[in-house]
Amino acid sequence: MIRNLNIILIFTSVIMLAGVYTLKFSIEHTASERTALAAQIESQEGDLSLLKADWAVLNQPGHIDPIVKRHQVALAIGPVQQKQFGAFQDIPMRPVKPNNAEMDALFQSLEAGIDPIDAILELEGIE
């Protein structure tokens, strides 16, 4: 009985030992992937800060002005003129208020049983 128990314990110990080694190598692999990703992120952050610095230099008016002057004729661009903004006359006016007297006459004729739209349709020959 004790012999069988010892065999089972040895077999279980060997299986547990293999599991611990597998777990150890898995953790080491995960740690190496984490280290590689951290290095990649740090490298990309460095590249991003370099690109931001380049963008800031390229957007300075002192850098853009000679380029604009060099291509001004080819692109047909120039300073903004006041006429490009439009005028107050171009703004559409508010709609005219409805005529209250005509609306009252319309409601009175509808209450009297006369439909002015039917009269208009009859004059135009539409039924």
Side-chain angles (χ1 to χ4, degrees):
M1 178 78 177
I2 293 179
R3 183 175 174 201
N4 290 338
L5 182 63
N6 285 336
I7 291 173
I8 291 172
L9 287 176
I10 289 173
F11 185 69
T12 305
S13 297
V14 169
I15 290 174
M16 295 299 280
L17 183 65
V20 168
Y21 274 117
T22 303
L23 183 63
K24 176 190 173 214
F25 287 120
S26 173
I27 290 172
E28 286 178 357
H29 178 70
T30 303
S32 67
E33 283 181 349
R34 182 191 169 278
T35 304
L37 285 174
Q40 184 182 5
I41 289 170
E42 186 175 330
S43 172
Q44 289 179 347
E45 286 177 348
D47 292 343
L48 183 63
S49 66
L50 183 64
L51 288 173
K52 284 181 179 178
D54 287 345
W55 182 256
V57 169
L58 293 175
N59 280 332
Q60 290 180 351
H63 180 77
I64 293 175
D65 191 45
I67 296 171
V68 170
K69 286 180 180 175
R70 187 175 27 194
H71 299 288
Q72 188 172 11
V73 175
L75 297 175
I77 56 175
V80 178
Q81 302 295 322
Q82 185 178 1
K83 64 182 178 182
Q84 292 175 315
F85 291 109
F88 284 114
Q89 293 80 15
D90 298 336
I91 298 174
M93 300 303 290
R94 290 184 179 181
V96 179
K97 287 184 177 180
N99 188 348
N100 289 336
E102 290 182 5
M103 294 297 288
D104 290 340
L106 175 66
F107 288 131
Q108 287 175 356
S109 66
L110 288 174
E111 287 177 3
I114 302 169
D115 190 5
I117 295 176
D118 285 342
I120 294 171
L121 292 176
E122 286 178 11
L123 287 175
E124 293 182 359
I126 302 171
E127 291 195 26

